[in-house]
Amino acid sequence: MPQYAATSRYVFVYGTLRRGGRNDIARFHPKPEHVADARIAGTLYDLGAYPGAVLGGPSEVFGEIYRIAPELEKQLDELEEVKPDDSGEYIKREVLVESDAGGERLACLVYEIHPDRVRGRSVISGGDWLGAR
């Protein structure tokens, strides 16, 4: 099992980065540690080859929590096209996420789709990207 420095963080993934997804996070290095399955309040949109979540509201988005090293966070920022001025495809947020295993609440990074990217896109009912495929 990898050793994590005090600077490690948690990330909640809900789309192609989930286990079995096209960009399965387990393929990245340093290897992330799966912590728990989880869900967050939000709406999941179908963008074609991948989804985008808008946080908040009465619906849920299903995903997984991982502990990641700073080097992996940088790789995810690049993959998700995060920009310092929030003009990129995704906006990196930190939110409290309750795990499905034991209800522990963890401060997790969540890559929220830029609101301009979901106009005219369909909602993935049920909030589960892998279940919709």
Side-chain angles (χ1 to χ4, degrees):
M1 180 173 290
Q3 296 296 319
Y4 292 92
T7 57
S8 69
R9 299 179 77 176
Y10 295 101
V11 64
F12 173 83
V13 299
Y14 56 83
T16 65
L17 289 165
R18 287 175 63 189
R19 281 176 294 198
R22 179 171 45 93
N23 291 319
D24 188 328
I25 195 169
R27 297 181 192 154
F28 288 79
H29 294 335
K31 190 165 180 64
E33 174 191 354
H34 179 261
V35 175
D37 291 340
R39 63 192 88 200
I40 58 172
T43 303
L44 196 60
Y45 290 88
D46 189 340
L47 302 174
Y50 55 92
V54 174
L55 300 178
S59 300
E60 291 183 316
V61 174
F62 291 83
E64 302 153 7
I65 298 171
Y66 290 87
R67 183 191 312 252
I68 60 170
E71 298 85 359
L72 180 49
E73 182 179 344
K74 290 175 190 171
Q75 293 173 58
L76 296 177
D77 287 354
E78 287 178 28
L79 177 72
E80 305 295 10
E81 298 180 27
V82 171
K83 304 281 188 227
D85 63 358
D86 291 341
S87 67
E89 185 163 24
Y90 286 85
I91 301 167
K92 185 166 56 172
R93 308 274 190 215
E94 186 172 74
V95 298
L96 282 176
V97 178
E98 187 172 320
S99 79
D100 286 349
E104 182 179 11
R105 293 171 53 101
L106 300 169
C108 293
L109 300 175
V110 177
Y111 291 88
E112 180 179 27
I113 191 70
H114 193 284
D116 291 344
R117 306 284 201 273
V118 297
R119 288 193 186 104
R121 300 296 188 148
S122 33
V123 170
I124 298 172
S125 99
D128 185 350
W129 169 252
L130 294 181
R133 296 281 164 234

